[in-house]
Amino acid sequence: MPDPAFDPAAARDAILARIAQAAREAGRDPADITLTAVSKQQSRQAVSAILGCGQRVFGENRVQEAIERWGGRRSGLELRLIGPLQTNKVRLAISFFDAIETLDRVRLAEEIAREVQHSGRCPKLLVQVNTGEEPQKSGLAPHEVDVFLARVRGDHGLEIAGLMCLPPVGEPAAPHFALLAKIARRNGLSELSMGMSDDFETAVRLGATHLRIGTALFGPRLTPRQKLSIEGG
Ligand SMILES: *Cc1c(COP(=O)(O)O)cnc(C)c1O
């Protein structure tokens, strides 16, 4: 079970201070870096505590879970999809999220373009890059990104805000962040979603604009059974 003494508000203050420090050391303005609180698999109580501190940007990796959690209380929030998107959920995702960080194939771009046209609503779009070229992970291989961007911008008229990556577990993240930043630079993209609980300062140093932080902010993620027991059904 999670540690009952864990205090998300204090954790958030400490993380924001570390982000600001890392930004200053890198000669960056801390205001250019957004903390995305990754609320997937967290209890209602932990999420309420973070909301209570003024946190407004949240990341979820599943469309359905996000809608269940946030469906009735959207006002003033920015909700970002950071997990894989299936084409049959595109309509729902476009109607719900403010940003989709996991555009990773032409078929999905086609579906998104169609739905944007149809609904008139266009979330911010980021392309996911599989910087470690791991077979089990989604995202484009680094060498595919330039052609993909030209295609979705040209053929599908989609505006792309930036890139996202999830470096391989157990490897130094810095080379992956540096690679993502380099691909973004040569494609004129300004948003870089990279850096999580264990490596966000490195990400700040290498140009991250959005940090996706879960466990360092909320404590460990819960199993469905733990979640139910904490929330009281
Ligand atoms: C879960 C998740 C995170 C947060 O990871 P932590 O290590 O808990 O900070 C960030 N990005 C993605 C894509 C995730 O799925």
Side-chain angles (χ1 to χ4, degrees):
M1 285 301 272
D3 174 5
F6 186 85
D7 178 356
R12 180 172 181 271
D13 285 346
I15 288 168
L16 289 175
R18 284 170 61 190
I19 293 170
Q21 177 70 23
R24 280 190 297 270
E25 282 169 16
R28 301 185 58 200
D29 183 349
D32 293 338
I33 300 158
T34 300
L35 168 61
T36 300
V38 178
S39 43
K40 68 180 187 202
Q41 293 169 248
Q42 296 291 350
S43 70
R44 222 174 17 240
Q45 290 88 337
V47 173
S48 289
I50 291 293
L51 266 170
C53 326
Q55 177 70 34
R56 290 296 174 263
V57 184
F58 289 86
E60 291 279 354
N61 71 334
R62 294 211 170 135
V63 177
Q64 206 58 46
E65 187 187 339
I67 291 173
E68 278 163 29
R69 185 193 296 287
W70 299 106
R73 55 198 293 191
R74 301 231 12 166
S75 156
L77 298 177
E78 180 180 327
L79 301 177
R80 305 177 67 98
L81 179 66
I82 62 170
L85 178 58
Q86 295 163 343
T87 46
N88 65 0
K89 298 245 173 75
V90 164
R91 174 161 296 186
L92 208 50
I94 294 283
S95 71
F96 189 76
F97 287 100
D98 303 293
I100 293 173
E101 300 201 2
T102 50
L103 175 55
D104 63 354
R105 56 202 192 278
V106 170
R107 176 85 182 82
L108 182 59
E110 285 167 1
E111 222 33 68
I112 288 175
R114 184 172 308 132
E115 193 49 37
V116 164
Q117 190 95 50
H118 174 82
S119 68
R121 193 170 190 279
C122 188
K124 206 178 250 195
L125 299 172
L126 280 73
V127 170
Q128 182 174 356
V129 184
N130 185 357
T131 55
E133 306 203 42
E134 297 171 276
Q136 82 286 7
K137 205 168 265 180
S138 25
L140 293 158
H143 70 270
E144 297 172 326
V145 179
D146 296 9
V147 167
F148 179 80
L149 284 169
R151 186 158 174 200
V152 299
R153 285 163 155 173
D155 298 358
H156 303 293
L158 289 177
E159 196 177 313
I160 306 297
L163 303 178
M164 178 272 224
C165 78
L166 198 62
V169 173
E171 258 184 49
H176 296 275
F177 296 159
L179 175 59
L180 197 73
K182 181 173 139 191
I183 299 171
R185 221 164 21 242
R186 72 171 179 241
N187 284 288
L189 297 170
S190 58
E191 229 176 82
L192 277 178
S193 173
M194 59 190 197
M196 316 199 297
S197 289
D198 293 330
D199 51 25
F200 64 87
E201 284 147 317
T202 304
V204 167
R205 187 159 53 77
L206 291 165
T209 61
H210 287 71
L211 308 171
R212 307 180 311 269
I213 302 186
T215 48
L217 192 55
F218 294 102
R221 282 182 275 279
L222 307 175
T223 64
R225 181 190 281 271
Q226 288 172 331
K227 195 165 179 298
L228 205 63
S229 121
I230 286 176
E231 293 178 345

